Amino acid sequence: MSLRVRSCRAHSGCVLVVNEVNTEPEGRANMPKTSYSKPSVGATGKTGSWRTFDPVINYKECSKCRTCWLYCPEAVITLEDDGTPHIDYDYCKGCGICAQVCPRKCIDMVRKGTRDEEDEE
Amino acid sequence: MKTELMSANYAAARAVVSARVEVVAAYPITPATTVPEQIALLSEKGIYKGEFIRVESEHSAMFACIGASSTGARAFTATSSNGLLLMDEALHWASAARLPIVLANINRSVSPSWNIHVSHDDSMSKRDTGWIQFYVSSVDEFYHTIIQAFKLAEDERVLMPTMVNADGFVLSHTVSRYDYLEPEEVDKFLQPYSPPHWVMDPENPVAHGNIVFPEHYQEFRYSMHEGTKNALDVYLEIEAEYKKLFGKYFGGPIECYKCDDADYIMTSQGTIGAEARDAIDQLRKDGYKVGSARIRMYRPFPIDHIRDLAKGKKAIASFDRSVSYGFGGPVANDIRASLYATDIRPLIKSYIGGLGGRDITVPDIKEILLDLIKHEESGEAGPEETWHDLR
Amino acid sequence: MMVATKEIPLKEYVLKGNAACAGCQDMVALRHAHKALEGDVIQVVPACCTSVVQSLWPKVGMNIPILNTAFMASGATASGVKAALRAKGKDDTTVMVWAGDGGTFDIGLQALSGAFERRTDMLYVCYNNQVYSNTGTQRSGATPLYAQTTTTWFGKREPEKLLDLIVAMHEPAYQATANAAYPRDLFDKFKRAKEIKGPKFIHIFIPCPQAWNYPVEKGVEIGKLAVETGYWIMWERIGDKFELGRHSKRFQDPSKRKPIEDFLKLQGRFSRLFKPEKDEEKIKEIEDYIQHRWDILLKTLT
C-alpha cells in the first residue's frame, strides 16, 4: 500500500484500519470491565512498514549535535553518551524531518530497499 | 443515629457527609439547588471534608465527577430536569468507564415551557444510559438510599453509577423526619472507595478510553449490562446488611403494601407510592382487595419481582409520571414486557398523569384503581393507556 | 538562557510505534512537554488527534496516565482530577489538559473558562493545528483567513479567533505561546509552568501535513516560517508580566519579517491565493490581520 499524503484527508484513519496488532478477537472472559490500556512500544505494530524512504545517517559527517533527535516526531532516534544517533528502523515512519533539520545535511532519504544495512554502524 | 427534621435536599447533603464523599461537583438548578447550597455550607463550616467544585454547567459537573472518580475519589453530584439532560453525554461516559458516581436527581419537568415541578420525564429519558436508578418516597429513604447507592455502585460485581431520584418540591423542599448517621457509624457499612481495576496514577500509568475496535466494543457493552443486572442481587445483600446494622429497610426493589392477598395492584414510582397507602386503606374499607407496589429500583428492572407480584392478580394499573411519546408509560410497558414470556396474564392498564407537578392525591389514586376494577370486572379491557385527569 | 539540547532528558514518554501520522508535529510537542514534566503528570485528552495517536486498546503509545474525555469537557474533567488529588493529599502531581484547537477555541471554551475562573491548579495546553484534523479537516475557530478546509472549500472568510486574549482575560498564573519547531523553547516553558501554581495555559503552533497539505518533511520549516513572517507570535506572561519571546522579538518590526507568501505558498490549503493567479488583495488582507494581531496583543498585554 502506498499513501498519497497530498490527497489524504482522514487523519490516521487508514493507520487504524490496517492495524494488524490488536485486532485478534479475544473472549470476554479475558477482558477487563472497561478499556484501559497499558503503555507499549509498538502499540500500532512495527510502524517502520509505513516508510517509503529510509533515513540514512552519514556517520563520517555527523557532528553529534542531537538536532535529529530533538525534532524526531516518533522518538525513534536514540543517542549514545557522546550524542551519536541511531535510528530504529522497526518503527521509523520515514517522515524525513531528521534529514531536513540536520545542520550538516548528513542524513539522506533513500528509497526503501536500497539502503546498505551495514552503513548503520 | 439521631433523628432530625429536614428537607430531602438538606438530608442529601448530610448523606454526602455521612458517606465521606471526597469530591462533589454541582451546578444550581431548581429544585436540586439546595443540595449544593447545603454542601457548600457544610464545606465552609468544615463538616464536609471533601472537595467541592462549583462548576459552570451540569455537563461539567458530571465530567468533574468523572475526572475525580477516575482518580480514585468517591464522587457525587445533584441535579434536576434540564441539568440532567445536559449531562447526557457524561452519563453515558460514566457508565461505560465503570465509575461508581452517585447522582441525586430531584425530579422536575422538562422544558419548554418552564415548569419547576415534578414529572419523571427527566430521569426516565436517561433509562438507557447504564445508570442504576432508584425512586424514593420519603426524606428518610432518600438519605439512606444515597448511602446505600455508594456501596452498590462501588461493588466490584456492579461498578456502575447510580442515580437516586426524589420528587421535586414534594420531597426536596418538604421538611420531614429522618435518621442521621454519623460518618463513623457509616464506616461500619461503607469502606473507602478503592478502584479495583484502573486509576489515574503517575506511578502506574494507564490510558483510559482510547480507541476500541468492533472486535471488542460489544464485549465491553455486554460487561456493562452484566454489571447493571448484577445490581439487583447485590442490592438485596446490601439492604439486608443495612437493616442489620441500622434497622433501616425500605422494601427491596419493589415495596409492596397489602399486595399479598390483593386482586388489584397499582404500581407507581416516587411519592405517589406513599400517597397510595391511604387510598388502599380507604378502598379496603369499602371491600376492594387492592394493594400498592412502589417500584424503587427501575434499572435494573426487577423482572422476577414483577412476575412474583403479578402472579394470581386480576389486574394491574401502572401509574407513570412520565411518557414515552408515541408509546406511552415507560414503566407500564416494561411490566408488560416482563410478563410476556410467562403465562402470568393479569389485565395491565397504563395510567399517565401528574405531569408538570399536577397533584396526584388519594381521590385520584382511588379513581384509577376503581377504573381498573371496573374494566376487569366488565371483561372489557378498555384503552391500553389512559391519561389521568386530562382536561 | 534556553536549555541546551544535550540537557534535555533522554527518557521518552512518547513511545515509538504509536498511531500518529508520519511527521506529526503534535508528537514533537508531546515529547518535549513530557520530558519537562518528567512523568509526574495526569494528562486529560478530549476528542482530538491525540486521542487517536495513542493507538488501540489494550495498548497505548504513551508512558503516562491518560484520561480520555469528551470533546467539550477537558476543563471540567481536569478540575475533577485535581480535586481528587487534593482530597488524597497528592497535590504536587501536574494535571495537564492536552486539547486541540476545536476542543479549546470552540466546543471546550466554556469548560476551560470555568476551570480558569475557579483558579484550578492545572496546565491547559492547546496544540493548535488550526482545523478539525481528526474528523477530516473541517474549519474551526482557529482556522486562518482564506484557508481551505472541507467546510470552507474556497477558503475561510473569517480570521482566527484571538483565543490568547480570551484566555489572558482570565488572568492565568502563567501563559505562553510556543511552537513545535522550537522544542528547546517549548521545553523551557513547560519547566516553568510546572513550578507555578494556579491556572496555566500554553498555546502551541502545530503544523499538520495532512490538513495543511504540505510535504510531510516540511513541518519544522513551516513552523519556523510562521514565526519569521510574524504570523505566529512567541510570548510569555508570568502573572501580568508580559515578555515577547526571543524568537519573535525582531519580527515586531514588520520590515524584518519575511514575506507572508513564503509561509502561505508552501501549504496546499492556501493554493487558491496563488492559482490560477496570485490574489494580491487577499494576501494583503492576511498580512494586515497579522499586524492587527500584533497591535492588539501588545496593546492589551503590555
Side-chain angles (χ1 to χ4, degrees), chain B residues 38-50:
Chain B
Q38 274 299 297
I39 293 171
L41 184 64
L42 293 167
S43 170
E44 285 169 16
K45 283 181 171 173
I47 297 167
Y48 165 62
K49 301 198 188 323

Side-chain angles (χ1 to χ4, degrees), chain B residues 107-229:
Chain B
N107 286 114
R108 164 184 155 179
S109 305
V110 167
S111 308
S113 294
W114 292 118
N115 178 312
I116 56 174
H117 301 284
V118 58
S119 299
H120 294 163
D121 284 338
D122 52 0
S123 52
M124 284 290 163
S125 79
K126 300 293 154 261
R127 183 190 68 182
D128 297 337
T129 55
W131 282 62
I132 293 160
Q133 282 200 19
F134 288 99
Y135 290 81
V136 303
S137 69
S138 71
V139 172
D140 196 44
E141 184 185 351
F142 193 39
Y143 169 83
H144 292 286
T145 306
I146 290 170
I147 294 172
Q148 293 175 345
F150 283 107
K151 178 115 167 175
L152 178 64
E154 291 168 10
D155 190 289
E156 198 182 339
R157 294 165 289 178
V158 178
L159 273 182
M160 292 298 271
T162 301
M163 185 187 301
V164 184
N165 293 282
D167 288 354
F169 292 103
V170 183
L171 286 181
S172 66
H173 288 63
T174 308
V175 172
S176 173
R177 276 171 46 160
Y178 83 105
D179 292 320
Y180 174 77
L181 295 167
E182 294 294 345
E184 293 73 22
E185 294 176 271
V186 175
D187 286 345
K188 286 181 276 179
F189 168 74
L190 186 64
Q191 289 70 47
Y193 172 52
S194 165
H197 300 294
W198 62 276
V199 67
M200 284 296 118
D201 175 13
E203 300 291 316
N204 182 22
V206 297
H208 183 270
N210 56 327
I211 294 169
V212 170
F213 260 15
E215 284 81 353
H216 298 110
Y217 182 91
Q218 182 167 308
E219 283 65 30
F220 284 120
R221 260 43 196 174
Y222 184 80
S223 171
M224 289 167 65
H225 186 48
E226 274 187 322
T228 304
K229 287 206 296 188

Side-chain angles (χ1 to χ4, degrees), chain C residues 6-18:
Chain C
K6 67 172 181 233
E7 288 162 12
I8 297 178
L10 293 177
K11 180 165 180 182
E12 298 289 351
Y13 299 89
V14 167
L15 303 177
K16 54 197 175 186
N18 56 57

Side-chain angles (χ1 to χ4, degrees), chain A residues 6 9 11-12 16 22 36-40 42-44 47 50 69-74 88 91 93 95 97 100, chain C residues 16-21 23-25 27 31-32 35 49 52 55-60 63 133 136 181 213 215 217:
Chain A
R6 283 187 165 275
R9 285 287 171 211
H11 199 166
S12 293
L16 297 170
N22 293 327
Y36 63 96
S37 297
K38 301 212 168 123
S40 314
T44 313
T47 49
W50 303 5
W69 170 84
L70 190 68
Y71 283 99
C72 174
E74 196 57 28
D88 186 342
Y91 297 106
K93 292 169 183 166
C95 69
I97 282 179
Q100 287 279 313
Chain C
K16 54 197 175 186
N18 56 57
C21 303
C24 176
Q25 294 299 292
M27 302 316 272
R31 273 185 70 212
H32 295 289
K35 283 170 185 287
C49 287
V52 177
S55 193
L56 303 179
W57 177 85
K59 297 178 182 177
V60 57
N63 193 16
S133 209
N213 206 348
E217 71 278 10

